[in-house]
Amino acid sequence: MKLTPLDGFVGYALRRAQSVIFADFNHTLAGLNLRPGQFAVLLLIDQNPGASQSNVSAALGIQKANFVATIADLENRQLVRRRKSDSDARTYLLSLTAGGRELLRRAVELQSLHESRITALLGEDERLRLLDLLERLARLPCNPSK
Amino acid sequence: MKLTPLDGFVGYALRRAQSVIFADFNHTLAGLNLRPGQFAVLLLIDQNPGASQSNVSAALGIQKANFVATIADLENRQLVRRRKSDSDARTYLLSLTAGGRELLRRAVELQSLHESRITALLGEDERLRLLDLLERLARLPCNPSK
DNA sequence: TATTGTTATACTCTATAACTATA
DNA sequence: TATAGTTATAGAGTATAACAATA
């Protein structure tokens, strides 16, 4: 099957790469029952203790409505704790439990294996270059003039 | 909000970039009512006239079961034609209708505007380098040895 | 036996509107 | 009024199992 000109499009290449990389991530973290999004949530809470649900969901580009089930699951699994804020009764302050920190520690270890596999494939210089290119892509204006 | 070390992971950078690029693609093709997947299907049928549903869905990494609704929609919109094969009564041979070719022509035009926006952001050399890096990523072994 | 296309089903991710309780 | 969190809902995308017709 002829794939041209499809294989010359950045959007298509992104989709293929993302599919493979996410599969490898999920395979690597399979034992922890953590999908990419959940891993990102734990990481952000760990790095920003006391952040609210809105803070975290906005930082990850997740709608707050869709974040409710995610955070409820993590709380049910006793990985995340929610405390009522003293200064604002509307918000919950998020933090990791001891179990959450421990699971995150193991997840980070496995993630670094996953990332190493990418480095083995590209080389570290090229991996960093890829990160730079992807970050620049993400700065594409949202409502382009025409 | 602190995003490190999340922003140093290729998987996360891929997700952010893909989200922005797909949004721009959809915005650019909005008038044609064609999502990225449908565009890819039309392009592949155009480049491989007489291909079967299995051929096209396999080439795009789509399960044949999920391809049924996609192709039915394109057929209902009279963009794609399905003919029974003479040599194998199980398969349908896919081809574009005149309307399908015309819609694809306009879609390709708009897609090239979208791609130009990426080139404007990265420069053509960097865009080609990105394509190369993404293609190499997609060659990551599926079941890595640990 | 294996393959093509199909149906049915389920799960994830995402998007939106509307509600509540607070601010 | 505006915001934080919630509920409900709907649309995509994706995965699997099972089937009829055909090879």
Side-chain angles (χ1 to χ4, degrees), chain B residues 4 17 40 58 83-84 89 110 134:
Chain B
T4 42
R83 279 180 299 115
K84 278 285 191 188
L110 292 175
L134 291 174

Side-chain angles (χ1 to χ4, degrees), chain A residues 4-40:
Chain A
T4 41
L6 199 53
D7 52 10
F9 298 159
V10 168
Y12 184 70
L14 277 173
R15 177 188 172 272
R16 298 295 284 238
Q18 155 124 266
S19 162
V20 168
I21 294 304
F22 269 48
D24 186 82
F25 178 93
N26 284 323
H27 182 265
T28 307
L29 293 238
L32 304 186
N33 193 23
L34 268 192
R35 273 157 296 128
Q38 300 173 313
F39 174 66

Side-chain angles (χ1 to χ4, degrees), chain A residues 76-94:
Chain A
N76 286 337
R77 291 164 67 184
Q78 309 205 29
L79 303 172
V80 166
R81 197 185 309 112
R82 303 200 306 161
R83 278 181 300 115
K84 278 286 189 186
S85 165
D86 288 338
S87 55
D88 186 337
R90 293 172 303 179
T91 74
Y92 287 102
L93 308 185
L94 303 175

Side-chain angles (χ1 to χ4, degrees), chain A residues 2 8 18 48 117 127, chain B residues 2 8 18 48 115 127 146:
Chain A
K2 198 173 165 190
Q18 155 124 266
N48 306 274
R117 224 168 285 129
R127 182 185 150 272
Chain B
K2 199 174 165 191
Q18 155 124 267
N48 304 275
E115 204 74 20
R127 182 185 150 271
K146 218 42 124 337

Side-chain angles (χ1 to χ4, degrees), chain A residues 44-64:
Chain A
L44 238 64
I45 294 177
D46 186 57
Q47 294 292 310
N48 306 274
S52 69
Q53 291 187 199
S54 291
N55 294 154
V56 173
S57 62
L60 292 175
I62 301 172
Q63 311 267 353
K64 62 180 181 171

Side-chain angles (χ1 to χ4, degrees), chain A residues 3 8 12-13 21 54 62-63 68 88 101 105 111 118 122 139 145:
Chain A
L3 284 186
Y12 184 70
I21 294 304
S54 291
I62 301 172
Q63 311 267 353
V68 174
D88 186 337
R101 273 190 299 274
R105 193 191 58 72
Q111 207 285 336
I118 294 173
L122 303 182
R139 285 202 288 267
S145 53

Side-chain angles (χ1 to χ4, degrees), chain B residues 116-134:
Chain B
S116 298
R117 225 169 285 127
I118 295 173
T119 305
L121 200 64
L122 303 182
E124 178 63 0
D125 288 355
E126 296 283 67
R127 182 185 150 271
L128 291 174
R129 184 185 287 275
L130 174 62
L131 281 175
D132 175 64
L133 288 167
L134 291 174

